[in-house]
């Protein structure tokens, strides 16, 4: 694909552009529809640390009305000495907790070799910011019949982000969800800078659903609810939020994790904001039957 400027939409032979599907893409994840008029919330720990920790969070977020359970099993950590995730054993922990509470699960895939084991346990495959331009991984995920959540790279332009999504669509996977998670700027007071303008822009330029991750975008628990509400007002299709029952004991990203109480507060405050922009909260996933039979 030849390089183009963001304004030159017409010259990009792109499946990702709204003109390719003006009515918008809706991604079905079991009973949950992402990209429709209803707003969807994926919540859970940064990392699956143990069965008990995952279950405690899953129970809390399901009770508060979350639609999907997130949890990292293979963790991309800046330091090689930091907790790298439980690996494969974490997949069944996550899958079982999701199944128990009727929540489809989201987990990050770091490399192609992990796909075979993930496909049995994971409903949405997340591509993290660090891997947004891992073209071998994108090509492999283009061949998979499973929704992919594509996070924006922290130094990626909107055009690069959309072209990364284009790899998935070009490979034949139409079930793509974008996720803005903050970009790196000169600002150091927050972990990243939440680029909400990109959310409104991408909603106009592309037919794909867009989630916002206010946890990685800010790095600070006290900013997560305000930015989550702002995301809803800006036209996002949903959120990806980190929640931990004991954030001070979290093995990863505790400083940005909401407690179950704060998560419940967020879920209670979202409907008023959504109503002001003509949307509503998706009905709880747990009110519907479990998505896939996940073996006990
Ligand atoms: C995550 O969601 O846990 C994660 C690692 O996010 P990002 O790739 O956006 O840093
Ligand atoms: Mn995290």
């Amino acid at each position: 694909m030849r390089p183009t400027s963001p304004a030159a939409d017409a010259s990009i032979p792109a499946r990702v552009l709204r003109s390719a599907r003006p009515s918008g893409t809706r991604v079905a994840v079991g009973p949950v529809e992402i990209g429709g008029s209803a707003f969807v919330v994926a919540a859970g720990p940064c990392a699956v640390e143990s069965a008990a920790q995952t279950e405690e969070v899953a129970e809390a977020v399901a009770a508060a009305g979350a639609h999907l359970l997130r949890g990292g099993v293979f963790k991309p950590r800046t330091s090689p000495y930091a907790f790298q995730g439980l690996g494969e054993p974490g997949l069944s922990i996550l899958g079982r907790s999701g199944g128990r509470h009727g929540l489809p699960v989201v987990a990050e895939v770091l490399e192609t070799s992990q796909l075979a084991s993930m496909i049995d346990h994971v409903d949405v495959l997340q591509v993290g910011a660090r891997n947004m331009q891992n073209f071998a991984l994108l090509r492999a995920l283009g061949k998979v019949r499973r929704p992919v959540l594509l996070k924006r790279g922290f130094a990626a332009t909107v055009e690069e982000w959309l072209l990364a999504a284009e790899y998935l669509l070009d490979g034949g996977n139409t079930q793509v969800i974008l996720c803005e998670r903050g970009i790196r700027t000169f600002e150091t007071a927050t972990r990243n800078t939440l680029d909400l303008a990109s959310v409104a822009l991408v909603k106009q330029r592309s037919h794909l659903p867009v989630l916002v991750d206010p946890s990685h975008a800010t790095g600070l628990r006290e900013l997560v609810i305000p930015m989550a509400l702002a995301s809803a007002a800006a036209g996002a299709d949903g959120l990806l939020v980190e929640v931990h029952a004991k954030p001070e004991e979290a093995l990863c990203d505790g400083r940005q994790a909401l407690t179950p109480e704060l998560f419940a507060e967020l879920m209670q405050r979202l409907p008023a904001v959504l109503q002001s922009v003509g949307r509503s909260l998706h009905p709880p996933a747990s009110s519907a039957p479990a998505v896939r039979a996940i073996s006990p």
Side-chain angles (χ1 to χ4, degrees), residues 7-73:
D9 278 9
S11 64
I12 306 178
R15 303 177 207 286
V16 76
L17 296 181
R18 186 161 277 277
S19 51
R21 200 186 274 196
S23 60
T25 287
R26 294 167 186 228
V27 177
V29 188
V32 180
E33 184 186 71
I34 305 175
S37 64
F39 190 86
V40 165
V41 180
C46 177
V48 170
E49 300 168 10
S50 69
Q53 167 254 7
T54 304
E55 181 57 22
E56 193 174 5
V57 177
E59 189 175 359
V61 299
H67 308 101
L68 300 153
L69 178 66
R70 67 144 287 150
V73 165

Side-chain angles (χ1 to χ4, degrees), residues 25-271:
T25 287
R26 294 167 186 228
V27 177
V29 188
V32 180
E33 184 186 71
I34 305 175
S37 64
F39 190 86
V40 165
V41 180
C46 177
V48 170
E49 300 168 10
S50 69
Q53 167 254 7
T54 304
E55 181 57 22
E56 193 174 5
V57 177
E59 189 175 359
V61 299
H67 308 101
L68 300 153
L69 178 66
R70 67 144 287 150
V73 165
F74 303 106
K75 294 303 302 176
R77 302 305 301 277
T78 301
S79 164
Y81 308 119
F83 176 58
Q84 304 283 307
L86 289 184
E88 278 188 32
L91 287 172
S92 45
I93 292 176
L94 183 69
R96 265 190 232 132
S97 277
R100 252 182 231 125
H101 299 282
L103 302 179
V105 301
V106 186
E108 178 169 351
V109 54
L110 291 184
E111 49 183 277
T112 311
S113 62
Q114 292 160 353
L115 274 175
S117 59
M118 293 188 80
I119 219 83
D120 289 337
H121 299 278
V122 175
D123 300 286
V124 178
L125 293 159
Q126 176 176 321
V127 176
R130 291 156 191 79
N131 264 322
M132 189 203 83
Q133 286 189 319
N134 179 338
F135 298 115
L137 183 61
L138 296 176
R139 286 271 187 226
L141 288 168
K143 305 250 171 314
V144 165
R145 293 295 161 263
R146 183 77 27 107
V148 174
L149 178 73
L150 179 65
K151 292 189 126 187
R152 180 184 185 180
F154 48 69
T157 64
V158 164
E159 184 172 16
E160 288 162 344
W161 187 21
L162 291 179
L163 286 168
E166 185 76 12
Y167 270 83
L168 299 167
L169 300 180
D170 186 49
N173 191 344
T174 56
Q175 305 289 284
V176 178
I177 306 149
L178 300 170
C179 181
E180 157 64 27
R181 45 78 72 209
I183 51 174
R184 188 164 283 179
T185 68
F186 55 82
E187 184 56 75
T188 54
T190 49
R191 183 174 180 181
N192 290 287
T193 295
L194 177 56
D195 184 8
L196 278 185
S198 78
V199 175
L201 179 66
V202 166
K203 285 298 295 175
Q204 290 174 16
R205 291 198 58 205
S206 174
H207 53 84
L208 296 175
V210 184
L211 303 188
V212 172
D213 170 352
S215 308
H216 293 88
T218 63
L220 298 169
R221 177 177 312 114
E222 57 274 27
L223 299 183
V224 170
I225 292 180
M227 292 304 96
L229 297 175
S231 303
D237 295 298
L239 299 169
L240 183 72
V241 185
E242 290 188 346
V243 180
H244 198 289
K246 299 187 190 77
E248 63 290 351
E249 292 175 19
L251 296 181
C252 185
D253 287 352
R255 184 65 186 86
Q256 67 194 31
L258 290 183
T259 59
E261 294 71 28
L262 286 170
F263 179 70
E265 180 192 326
L266 167 62
M267 294 303 284
Q268 279 162 14
R269 291 177 65 183
L270 275 170

Side-chain angles (χ1 to χ4, degrees), residues 5 173 226 260 294:
S5 78
N173 191 344
I294 295 169

